[in-house]
Amino acid sequence: MADPILEVHDLRVTFDTEGGLVPAVDGIDFAVAPGKTLAIVGESGSGKSVSSAAVMGILPSNAEVKGEVLLDGRELVGLPDDELRKIRGNDIALVFQDALSALNPYYTVGWQVAEAYRLHHAVSKKAAFKRAVELLDKVGIPDAARRAKSYPHEFSGGMRQRVVIAMALVNNPRVLIADEPTTALDVTVQAQIMQLLADVQEEFGTALVLISHDLGVVAEVADDVLVMYAGRAAERGTVRDLFYRAAHPYSLGLLGAMPRIDVPPKPRLTTIPGSPPSPGSIKTGCPFQPRCAYTERVGERCITERPELTPRPGEGDHEAACHLGRRPEVVS
Ligand code: SF4
C-alpha cells in the first residue's frame, strides 16, 4: 500500500469551558493514503467532527489540541495560523455538511469558487473565474459558464453541495475531508454526490476522510473504517472487517440499526438503548458499558478497566477496544 499522505497519532482535543475541561477526543490514531477513503463513523457527540476540525486547524480558541497531525510528514499541530492558512483549502480541504451555510448568499457561486482559487494562486480575476467554471463543469453543474453567475439560493440542495465540492477541489487538495456531505440530500442525490467524490478521487488520487453516521454510504465507498465512541476509537479495520467481522458491541449496534435490503424487514429497526455519555463523564472502565448488552459476560473489568485498542488475532490490522475475548454474536 502507498505511504499515507495524512497520519494522525494520539490526537487529543480538550475544550476549556465554564464547567471545566471537557475532553472531546481522547487519543485517536488514523491514516489515509492517496486515492483511499477512510470513514470515521459514530453517533453525534462521538468526536468525529471535532477530530476533522482539529486536523483542519479550525477549532475555536478554547480548544487545546495535542498529538500529531502529519501531512506528507509535516507536523500541522502547533503551526502558526498564517502557515496553516496556506495549507487549508490548498493541501487539505473540507466539504461541509450544510452547503447553504458554507456559501455566502450575497455572491455568485462562480465568484466564490474563483476567490477560493485566488486565495492560493496569484492569478487575475478572469483566470480564476475560468478555473471556477471548469470546476463547476467537472462537478456536474449543467451550463456551468452561465450558472456560475447565479446565487446560491438559485440552486437545489444537491447542486449547492456540488458547488461546495467544486470550491473544495479548486486547488487540487491532496486530502479532502467530507463531513456528512450528503446528510441533507435525498437518496438519489446522495448517490450522485458520493459517485462524484469517487470520480474525483480516481482522477486526482485524492485521499478522502469521510465523516459519516450512515453505514450504507460507508459500505459503498470506504476502504478503511474508524468507529468512534465517546471521543475514543472503539474499532478500526478495513470495511470488510467492520461488515463481516465486527468485534465491538457498539459496532454491532450500529450495524443492527442499519436498514438492509438483503434480509426481510423487521417491524422496526434495532436501536442501541440509551444515549452516548457526555464527554469526560465516564472516568473509569469502558465508556460503552452503560449501554452494552455483553457487559455481564465480562464482569467487573468493564467497569474498572478501560479497554484499549487491541489487534484481533489473525485479522491483520483489525483492532477493537473491548474486553470480550471472542467475537460477540448479535444480541436482540
Ligand atoms: Fe461491552 Fe465490556 Fe466490551 Fe465495553 S469492554 S464493549 S462494556 S463487553
Side-chain angles (χ1 to χ4, degrees):
M1 192 179 108
D3 287 341
I5 176 83
L6 177 70
E7 289 174 82
V8 170
H9 299 297
D10 197 24
L11 181 70
R12 292 168 193 273
V13 181
T14 307
F15 289 100
D16 190 358
T17 69
E18 282 182 3
L21 294 176
V22 176
V25 177
D26 190 9
I28 61 160
D29 300 78
F30 61 82
V32 60
K36 297 290 180 189
T37 299
L38 167 78
I40 305 183
V41 302
E43 293 161 288
S44 24
S46 62
K48 54 192 196 315
S49 292
V50 174
S51 304
S52 63
V55 169
M56 292 292 292
I58 53 170
L59 285 168
S61 58
N62 67 334
E64 187 188 27
V65 179
K66 287 187 178 162
E68 288 183 333
V69 175
L70 302 173
L71 178 70
D72 213 3
R74 184 184 183 195
E75 177 62 83
L76 302 189
V77 175
L79 267 191
D81 263 359
D82 55 337
E83 285 296 309
L84 268 179
R85 267 197 295 274
K86 285 184 205 156
I87 292 168
R88 226 173 14 232
N90 195 28
D91 298 298
I92 302 190
L94 182 63
V95 174
F96 291 96
Q97 92 174 236
D98 180 3
L100 205 49
S101 63
L103 293 168
N104 189 321
Y106 299 110
Y107 294 96
T108 65
V109 298
W111 187 90
Q112 295 186 57
V113 178
E115 282 305 294
Y117 189 62
R118 270 163 48 88
L119 266 181
H120 298 279
H121 295 85
V123 295
S124 67
K125 287 188 177 178
K126 196 173 165 196
F129 194 80
K130 189 165 168 262
R131 169 80 180 154
V133 171
E134 191 184 308
L135 259 291
L136 290 169
D137 182 52
K138 189 171 280 303
V139 299
I141 304 281
D143 196 3
R146 187 178 62 82
R147 295 292 275 154
K149 294 175 187 147
S150 304
Y151 291 86
H153 73 268
E154 298 176 86
F155 287 78
S156 66
M159 285 295 156
R160 270 198 296 266
Q161 194 59 306
R162 285 174 191 265
V163 172
V164 170
I165 291 172
M167 199 148 71
L169 293 176
V170 73
N171 296 308
N172 275 344
R174 288 184 290 168
V175 178
L176 188 64
I177 300 180
D179 190 348
E180 307 275 12
T182 59
T183 299
L185 307 173
D186 71 48
V187 179
T188 318
V189 182
Q190 271 185 19
Q192 290 167 355
I193 296 290
M194 292 317 300
Q195 186 56 50
L196 169 64
L197 288 174
D199 293 345
V200 162
Q201 230 184 346
E202 197 177 317
E203 186 173 347
F204 299 106
T206 318
L208 177 64
V209 178
L210 174 70
I211 314 289
S212 184
H213 68 277
D214 185 340
L215 287 184
V217 170
V218 171
E220 286 288 319
V221 303
D223 298 291
D224 296 305
V225 183
L226 168 68
V227 179
M228 285 190 72
Y229 188 77
R232 292 171 63 91
E235 182 156 3
R236 199 170 61 177
T238 63
V239 74
R240 289 187 72 81
D241 288 332
L242 180 71
F243 284 92
Y244 294 104
R245 297 178 282 273
H248 194 286
Y250 177 58
S251 310
L252 277 183
L254 292 178
L255 291 166
M258 178 186 166
R260 303 264 304 264
I261 54 167
D262 56 338
V263 292
K266 299 176 198 166
R268 61 193 169 92
L269 285 173
T270 319
T271 54
I272 306 173
S275 46
S278 48
S281 64
I282 296 191
K283 307 273 189 239
T284 57
C286 173
F288 190 56
Q289 185 274 329
R291 305 172 74 189
C292 183
Y294 300 86
T295 186
E296 280 181 12
R297 302 189 193 183
V298 177
E300 273 296 282
R301 270 182 92 199
C302 294
I303 300 165
T304 58
E305 192 184 319
R306 180 159 289 197
E308 299 298 335
L309 266 190
T310 311
R312 306 286 305 166
E315 295 181 12
D317 292 333
H318 186 196
E319 298 175 301
C322 173
H323 294 313
L324 267 178
R326 59 189 173 82
R327 193 184 318 288
E329 73 284 6
V330 177
V331 171
S332 55

